[in-house]
Amino acid sequence: MNPQIFVYGEPQKLSPNKFTMDGKDFLGWAKTSGGNIAYDDSSEYTIGAADVTLYAVWGKFVTADNAATVIAGLEGGTFENPNVYMIRITDKTLTAEQQKEIRTAIRTKTQGWYGRISLDLSATELTEIPEEAFSNCRLRGLILPDSLETIGIGSFGYNRFEEIIIPDNVKTIEKGGFYECSSLTTITLPKSLTFIGASAFAGTALKTVNYKGTQAQWEALKANISTTGNDKLIGAKIICTDGVINGE
C-alpha cells in the first residue's frame, strides 16, 4: 500500500486495507507488531508529530456454528515459524454450551501444536464469562467485549497472554479468573471494578497495572481484593490517573 498522508492533529479515515494473506481474513490494525487490534478498516485516526506504522492483524471470522470446524482446520506452521491466528467470534450472543464447544476446539488444537491462537470476543454482547469458559486454551491474546461485567471463576486460567485489557464495565473478577497465566506481565483495570476474588492472578508474572482510577479509588478497591494468591497484583507497579503506587 502507498503511504497515507495526514494533516497533523486532524482526524482522518484510514485508507481501506489492500493487503491480502492466503487462508486468513483481515481483522484490523494494531499499533505494534503482534499487538491487539486498535483500529478497524477505515477508522478515524489522528496523527501526532511523527510518522506511524500500523500493522495488519490476520485471523478468521467465525460464528459459534462453524468455529469448531474452522479451528480444527488451522495449519500450525513450524516451531521456528508458527502460524498466528486471531479468532474473531461474530455472534452477538454465545450460550455457555457454545463457549464450551469453542474452548474444546481450541484446547484440542493447541495441544502439541506450533500455531498460536488469540481470541476476539469484542463483537459479542456478553455480560458474563462463565466458570472455566476458556481455561487452559493456551491463548496468546484476548480481546473482551465492552458489555462485559463479570469474569467468572477460573474463566481464563492457564493461558499464555502477556497483556490484557479489562473493559470499562467490568465489576467483578471471580476467584482464579486468570490463575496460572504465567506469561501475564501487564494488565489494564477499569475503575468500575468492585471485587477481585482469591487467586485471580495467582501464578502470573504481573509487573504493571494500568488502573483507570485515582490512587484513592485503588485503595478503596484494594480493600475488596482477596489477599489470597493475589500478591503479584497487589505488589505490582500501579499506574493511576493521578500518580503511581509501588514505584516511580
Side-chain angles (χ1 to χ4, degrees):
M1 290 176 62
N2 293 326
Q4 187 174 0
I5 307 301
F6 283 76
V7 176
Y8 170 72
E10 294 187 10
Q12 181 177 325
K13 284 192 174 182
L14 295 171
S15 296
N17 169 57
K18 294 182 181 178
F19 295 115
T20 59
M21 182 176 285
D22 289 343
K24 293 186 181 181
D25 302 317
F26 171 74
L27 303 184
W29 300 102
K31 296 179 181 179
T32 59
S33 178
N36 285 334
I37 297 168
Y39 306 101
D40 292 327
D41 211 6
S42 299
S43 289
E44 281 198 346
Y45 186 84
T46 302
I47 201 167
D51 291 347
V52 173
T53 299
L54 299 180
Y55 298 81
V57 179
W58 301 95
K60 288 286 188 180
F61 290 113
V62 301
T63 66
D65 291 335
N66 70 11
T69 301
V70 172
I71 292 167
L74 298 179
E75 297 292 334
T78 65
F79 178 80
E80 295 81 9
N81 188 28
N83 286 331
V84 178
Y85 298 93
M86 173 74 78
I87 302 297
R88 177 180 283 183
I89 308 298
T90 59
D91 304 76
K92 288 187 177 181
T93 59
L94 285 176
T95 65
E97 185 60 32
Q98 287 171 327
Q99 291 177 62
K100 183 178 179 180
E101 289 174 359
I102 294 169
R103 177 188 67 186
T104 299
I106 296 174
R107 277 183 175 180
T108 301
K109 194 66 179 180
T110 55
Q111 303 301 312
W113 188 66
Y114 295 130
R116 299 177 180 179
I117 295 178
S118 295
L119 182 64
D120 181 355
L121 298 171
S122 61
T124 72
E125 295 179 352
L126 294 171
T127 58
E128 180 178 2
I129 305 293
E131 181 174 346
E132 296 188 358
F134 297 102
S135 65
N136 200 25
C137 288
R138 301 187 181 186
L139 293 171
R140 299 303 182 110
L142 176 68
I143 303 177
L144 296 169
D146 291 339
S147 55
L148 192 64
E149 296 179 2
T150 301
I151 294 173
I153 297 172
S155 293
F156 296 105
Y158 296 98
N159 280 295
R160 296 181 177 180
F161 322 119
E162 294 181 3
E163 180 176 0
I164 294 293
I165 297 174
I166 305 298
D168 287 343
N169 290 315
V170 172
K171 298 178 178 64
T172 301
I173 300 176
E174 298 286 2
K175 66 179 182 180
F178 294 94
Y179 182 77
E180 289 295 334
C181 291
S182 58
S183 298
L184 183 61
T185 61
T186 304
I187 191 165
T188 298
L189 297 178
K191 62 182 179 181
S192 58
L193 267 174
T194 59
F195 175 78
I196 298 177
S199 298
F201 293 96
T204 67
L206 272 177
K207 295 180 179 179
T208 303
V209 175
N210 297 304
Y211 179 61
K212 292 186 176 181
T214 64
Q215 294 181 68
Q217 287 173 316
W218 173 261
E219 292 300 330
L221 170 62
K222 190 175 175 181
N224 293 304
I225 298 176
S226 172
T227 57
T228 302
N230 285 321
D231 53 302
K232 288 288 187 180
L233 172 67
I234 296 170
K237 180 179 181 179
I238 316 295
I239 303 174
C240 303
T241 57
D242 60 349
V244 177
I245 301 173
N246 298 337
E248 298 180 356

